[in-house]
Amino acid sequence: MKKVVTYVPILFSLLFLLGCGEKEKKESKPASPPPTTMQEQESSTELLVGTFTGEGSEGIYKLDFNTETGELGNKTLLVVRENPGYLDISRDRSRVYSSNSGTPGSLSIFEFNTDRSGLRHIGDYSSEGDGACFIELSKNENLVAAANYGSGSIVLYSLDTKGMMVSGTAQKQQHKGSSTSPRQKSAHAHCVKFDDTGKTLYAVDLGMDAVVAYPLGSDGRWGKGHTALKTRPGDGPRHMIFHPTKNMAFVINELSNTVISAKVDAQKAKFEIIDQKSTLPDDFKDESFCADIHLSPDNRFLYASNRGHNSIAIFSVSEEGQLEFLGTEPVRGDWPRNFTLSPDGRFLLAANQKSGNITVFNVNRATGLLSYTGHELKMSQPVCLKF
């Protein structure tokens, strides 16, 4: 009996201590996620993908992009839509605008839901033509413009304070003209770009070998257009970008596989060519067609995509706008219709339409050269990438 009396208090003491230890363990559990989880969240950013549908893709997708490693993942279908081939995103990232190729062409507006897991369809609008292939918001987001490749026309809409297209405000301009290539028997508007002042809308027309400038009034109405740039016959200009700090523009020519740097007279809305260089190596003789063009965030390097050669051409850009061809990097896919650079300029991502993959490259920010990371994501017909 003495043994029982002696050990019972000891047993209860041990149980009490074990219980307290367990309690302390539970109370010390962190309320917030562990540091590794937080780092993963901070290093991930959204990438939206416009697609051509009918062969596996269904509309607009969202991917997670790891800004530290360059990895892509978590493919999410945001909204079902037919051929949302080019996208633009509102400044507050709440709305997405798409140009939808087809006959007739159309434009759509979508709005993100609360947790950004999907897009709500707001409305469809006529592109006032066939084969809508490009859409862009003006800098202060009171206007939106689009280009129709098939019909060679462009359209301009006014936007209300909520970013919605105002019914009855559609303005159409029908281009007329031709050039020397079999693909230039008629006008083919391929890109529209607002200047920073919002006073001019430029339209790049592949069929006319021209960039056309339209003056914009404070009421959003446009005046008579004039030729801002006439390229060489058969160049087939496709896309254009502006230098963010200098009066310069860069044009990529689909048919001649060249890029142009030009001075911009913003007052007269006129371009003067500074330089023009091929995007292909001298020994390449097969068929290829240029597609997209972008500047590095520090504006020192220019990149252009080659469909056929299936590469990204790399140029250095001097302070005066002279271009030096540095070489090409294979995209590890087929038909790089579109590409983009990560916001910090560390990575370049290529959307390879025919091979159905998005490939990721490291950017050497000192030399501008690219190297393949080994990261890719498979998806059907990606044709537009937007961070």
Side-chain angles (χ1 to χ4, degrees):
M1 289 297 293
K2 278 186 182 179
K3 284 183 182 179
V4 173
V5 173
T6 304
Y7 287 115
V8 166
I10 296 170
L11 182 61
F12 275 108
S13 298
L14 286 169
L15 289 172
F16 177 80
L17 288 170
L18 285 169
C20 288
E22 207 47 49
K23 187 179 178 185
E24 282 172 13
K25 245 190 229 179
K26 285 177 184 176
E27 287 176 351
S28 64
K29 186 179 179 182
S32 57
T36 52
T37 304
M38 287 300 291
Q39 287 167 7
E40 285 169 7
Q41 288 177 350
E42 287 169 6
S43 65
S44 179
T45 190
E46 289 179 346
L47 177 70
L48 299 192
V49 186
T51 65
F52 285 163
T53 54
E55 295 183 14
S57 285
E58 299 179 74
I60 300 173
Y61 291 80
K62 181 179 74 169
L63 307 176
D64 287 339
F65 178 70
N66 188 308
T67 56
E68 293 300 319
T69 66
E71 291 175 280
L72 289 165
N74 196 25
K75 183 174 78 170
T76 304
L77 176 62
L78 294 175
V79 67
V80 173
R81 198 75 200 145
E82 186 176 357
N83 294 329
Y86 202 84
L87 311 176
D88 203 1
I89 307 171
S90 64
R91 194 165 44 248
D92 65 3
R93 301 191 62 77
S94 66
R95 294 178 304 282
V96 177
Y97 299 76
S98 73
S99 64
N100 314 308
S101 62
T103 305
S106 66
L107 312 175
S108 299
I109 304 178
F110 309 93
E111 194 168 58
F112 269 104
N113 59 13
T114 306
D115 64 2
R116 302 187 71 80
S117 63
L119 287 170
R120 182 170 64 93
H121 178 228
I122 302 298
D124 295 324
Y125 304 83
S126 172
S127 70
E128 301 293 328
D130 299 333
C133 61
F134 197 99
I135 189 166
E136 180 168 285
L137 294 161
S138 62
K139 189 175 181 180
N140 61 5
E141 299 188 356
N142 66 326
L143 298 169
V144 64
N148 296 294
Y149 177 84
S151 57
S153 59
I154 63 172
V155 66
L156 180 69
Y157 279 91
S158 294
L159 298 177
D160 63 22
T161 54
K162 294 182 179 178
M164 303 299 136
M165 295 184 201
V166 180
S167 179
T169 64
Q171 302 174 69
K172 175 183 175 180
Q173 292 283 356
Q174 178 63 56
H175 288 179
K176 293 181 180 179
S178 60
S179 193
T180 58
S181 167
R183 285 184 54 197
Q184 295 178 305
K185 292 180 180 178
S186 63
H188 292 296
H190 215 308
C191 172
V192 283
K193 299 296 287 186
F194 291 95
D195 73 347
D196 279 346
T197 67
K199 294 180 180 178
T200 308
L201 175 68
Y202 293 92
V204 182
D205 198 296
L206 183 147
M208 295 167 54
D209 281 330
V211 177
V212 183
Y214 294 93
L216 298 173
S218 56
D219 59 354
R221 307 298 296 181
W222 53 18
K224 185 178 179 181
H226 68 266
T227 300
L229 174 68
K230 189 69 176 174
T231 68
R232 300 178 312 192
D235 268 346
R238 177 185 172 96
H239 280 188
M240 180 183 84
I241 55 172
F242 286 108
H243 193 292
T245 60
K246 296 178 182 289
N247 289 324
M248 288 184 198
F250 303 89
V251 179
I252 189 163
N253 297 310
E254 178 174 336
L255 303 183
S256 67
N257 297 295
T258 60
V259 290
I260 290 171
S261 59
K263 292 178 184 176
V264 179
D265 184 330
Q267 294 299 316
K268 296 179 180 179
K270 285 279 190 179
F271 294 179
E272 179 186 343
I273 292 177
I274 300 168
D275 200 359
Q276 184 162 357
K277 290 287 197 307
S278 173
T279 63
L280 298 170
D282 292 338
D283 59 356
F284 183 79
K285 304 302 178 188
D286 293 334
E287 195 172 58
S288 193
F289 303 95
C290 280
D292 201 12
I293 185 169
H294 293 283
L295 275 172
S296 61
D298 63 7
N299 309 312
R300 294 173 56 218
F301 302 102
L302 183 73
Y303 299 93
S305 62
N306 293 310
R307 297 173 297 172
H309 188 255
N310 291 332
S311 65
I312 301 294
I314 308 160
F315 301 85
S316 63
V317 184
S318 75
E319 289 293 318
E320 296 74 33
Q322 295 292 327
L323 303 172
E324 180 185 356
F325 181 63
L326 301 179
T328 60
E329 176 68 25
V331 293
R332 275 70 172 182
D334 188 5
W335 218 249
R337 185 181 180 93
N338 183 251
F339 69 94
T340 190
L341 288 128
S342 60
D344 61 6
R346 291 177 58 195
F347 297 96
L348 183 146
L349 296 82
N352 302 307
Q353 178 188 345
K354 291 185 178 181
S355 56
N357 65 330
I358 300 170
T359 46
V360 185
F361 300 83
N362 286 309
V363 179
N364 184 320
R365 286 181 284 182
T367 65
L369 300 181
L370 307 175
S371 58
Y372 184 44
T373 62
H375 300 314
E376 71 167 336
L377 185 137
K378 296 283 189 183
M379 67 182 301
S380 175
Q381 299 198 93
V383 294
C384 183
L385 305 177
K386 287 283 185 179
F387 277 109

